[in-house]
Amino acid sequence: MAEGVKPRVKAPKKASAGEAVTIKTLISHQMESGQRKNKDGSIIPRSIINRFTCEFNGKSVIEVVMEAAISTNPYFEFEAVIPEAGDMVFTWYDDDGSVYTETKSVAIS
Amino acid sequence: MKFKARTAFAALLLSVPAVAFADADDDKLVINGDLEIVTKAPAPAHLSDSLDEIMSGWHFRSDETQALEMDDFDNPGMIFVDQAIEAWNTVEGAAGKSCASCHEGPENMAGVRAVYPKWNETAGEVRTLEMQVNDCRTSRMEADAWKYTGGDMASMVALVTLQSRGMPVNVAIDGPAQATWEQGKELYYTRTGQLDLSCASCHEQNYGNMIRADHLSQGQINGFPAYRLKNSKLNSVHARFKGCVRDTRAETFKPGGPEFTALELYVASRGNGLSVEGPSVRN
């Protein structure tokens, strides 16, 4: 497992029904591209977050496929319409098979 | 004839915004919507001959860069603070201690950054925060010292600095620290390198002007360690000094050495009255 990986999400705790809210996500990750070489001249194996998804009450909000050119600590900011109270589940998929998840509940005010 | 006059006028118009653009702006820095940062203050007494007002480097950056510092989620420096929290609680060295073994939580470091560099009575010298961290590591933890300008060190200094964020910088320049402060002042006004520039040439006489494509700030260090977009990491004060001296095409002093320590004390004292702002975001 890659070291120092920590998912972070900033989302409002409350929204009015049908409101579009801004969601910020960031995962600290070294995003090793697989194209760099170490001191011996051998290739450092690729180790990146290759997929990011956000689901709201089981429905897909956003899905992102990442490639090797994405820089370290990928940050995504997007807007989502909140139709009802529920849970937002954010998932990051690592090349090494690790899956990082973060959940945020949004209430209707 | 008329046409010529008009083009001359247009050229004049074009040149005006470029000048205004390099000047410090009047924006207000409020972090996370509640922490107000003092980014402009009357110059401390010892500077009264040369400056009226001291300003954080934040004012010299673009709105987009400024915005990154106004929310901790957007501030990329905070990732390194998170890493330092882990290091804070990690036991290292022969004594079987971590930072937390003696200091408990990092919040106990509140107020520390604001008064550093500071005279250390036992050692009989002025010490920077980095020197103090390494002293803890080698003598209390019996672990290896960190590289002065390395990533581990910059992150730890950022964590300690964060605890004092919003407090006024207030380094002591009298008493036993005075001799070191005088040495730092001497260095600040000494021209070096093939370009024959002193710190004052740019940061006192020309702040607000452009140096090639960049804006010259007053060179305040209240925002350090600073996350720089150009190298996507936290930068320590001495690493920045080294960069500046190198840019004058001189041989630089050693980061962590007595010259840069004296200079850090002097430059910090030029910001007495500004809030501790680090970890800041600059370009």
Side-chain angles (χ1 to χ4, degrees):
Chain A
M1 196 177 112
E3 272 180 24
V5 181
K6 188 182 167 194
R8 305 202 286 176
V9 174
K10 187 173 181 178
K13 290 194 175 68
K14 276 186 184 172
S16 44
E19 187 189 347
V21 297
T22 301
I23 294 151
K24 296 174 176 180
T25 74
L26 184 150
I27 186 162
S28 50
H29 194 282
Q30 90 281 20
M31 299 291 275
E32 186 59 59
S33 70
Q35 300 188 34
R36 300 198 306 160
K37 289 174 180 172
N38 64 13
K39 279 176 190 157
D40 316 326
S42 50
I43 284 176
I44 306 170
R46 187 182 111 155
S47 168
I48 67 169
I49 298 282
N50 56 43
R51 186 165 160 242
F52 165 67
T53 63
C54 170
E55 287 184 351
F56 184 75
N57 287 349
K59 272 165 68 182
S60 174
V61 176
I62 192 170
E63 175 156 358
V64 181
V65 174
M66 277 169 271
E67 300 292 347
I70 307 281
S71 54
T72 50
N73 310 327
Y75 172 98
F76 290 108
E77 180 178 331
F78 53 92
E79 287 192 348
V81 174
I82 306 293
E84 67 217 6
D87 289 339
M88 282 204 170
V89 182
F90 304 86
T91 319
W92 291 263
Y93 298 86
D94 199 312
D95 269 352
D96 64 15
S98 311
V99 176
Y100 308 97
T101 322
E102 184 84 17
T103 306
K104 293 278 176 190
S105 299
V106 186
I108 294 296
S109 56
Chain B
M1 188 66 201
K2 211 175 178 184
F3 175 72
K4 262 188 185 168
R6 199 182 287 163
T7 43
F9 182 58
L12 201 77
L13 266 185
L14 274 176
S15 67
V16 171
V19 173
F21 188 53
D23 263 337
D25 61 15
D26 283 323
D27 294 348
K28 284 255 177 295
L29 175 53
V30 180
I31 296 176
N32 299 333
D34 59 5
L35 180 64
E36 284 185 30
I37 299 289
V38 177
T39 49
K40 286 189 180 183
H46 69 87
L47 271 184
S48 57
D49 291 342
S50 35
L51 290 177
D52 293 329
E53 190 180 36
I54 51 174
M55 282 177 267
S56 161
W58 183 79
H59 283 292
F60 297 86
R61 304 281 70 115
S62 69
D63 287 347
E64 293 85 350
T65 309
Q66 288 183 335
L68 286 174
E69 199 180 315
M70 297 172 82
D71 182 349
D72 280 350
F73 195 91
D74 294 340
N75 184 339
M78 291 300 162
I79 293 168
F80 299 91
V81 170
D82 280 349
Q83 290 170 3
I85 293 174
E86 274 178 39
W88 179 273
N89 294 312
T90 306
V91 172
E92 265 188 276
K97 285 181 181 175
S98 67
C99 305
S101 310
C102 297
H103 299 293
E104 294 171 14
E107 62 279 1
N108 289 323
M109 293 286 111
V112 172
R113 167 82 272 180
V115 296
Y116 266 83
K118 188 182 167 193
W119 176 259
N120 183 309
E121 195 58 55
T122 340
E125 61 178 3
V126 170
R127 283 204 172 155
T128 62
L129 205 47
E130 282 91 342
M131 289 159 84
Q132 210 57 54
V133 169
N134 262 345
D135 184 54
C136 268
R137 286 185 60 82
T138 51
S139 57
R140 292 208 215 178
M141 292 164 69
E142 293 170 42
D144 292 336
W146 276 330
K147 185 176 175 241
Y148 194 91
T149 52
D152 293 330
M153 180 62 90
S155 304
M156 184 56 73
V157 171
L159 173 62
V160 174
T161 301
L162 183 63
Q163 314 307 318
S164 308
R165 194 168 63 176
M167 297 178 186
V169 175
N170 186 22
V171 295
I173 62 173
D174 49 1
Q178 195 181 355
T180 311
W181 181 80
E182 299 280 359
Q183 187 198 348
K185 186 176 180 181
E186 182 75 28
L187 281 167
Y188 193 88
Y189 287 101
T190 303
R191 289 172 178 269
T192 60
Q194 288 177 317
L195 297 185
D196 204 26
L197 294 168
S198 71
C199 306
S201 312
C202 290
H203 298 294
E204 185 172 294
Q205 291 148 19
N206 278 300
Y207 67 86
N209 291 335
M210 304 293 281
I211 184 162
R212 299 185 67 176
D214 203 2
H215 305 164
L216 281 173
S217 73
Q218 285 188 348
Q220 297 288 356
I221 55 170
N222 62 312
F224 276 81
Y227 181 90
R228 296 193 70 189
L229 301 169
K230 70 173 273 186
N231 60 10
S232 62
K233 65 174 183 132
L234 284 176
N235 294 266
S236 63
V237 175
H238 289 201
R240 180 61 268 194
F241 285 169
K242 189 180 164 188
C244 264
V245 176
R246 181 206 57 212
D247 291 348
T248 73
R249 300 190 191 160
E251 288 286 335
T252 77
F253 298 111
K254 185 172 160 278
E259 297 87 359
F260 275 167
T261 302
L263 186 60
E264 181 176 346
L265 174 64
Y266 177 69
V267 176
S269 80
R270 291 174 71 95
N272 272 354
L274 295 173
S275 296
V276 173
E277 201 188 300
S280 65
V281 185
R282 304 285 187 259
N283 52 343

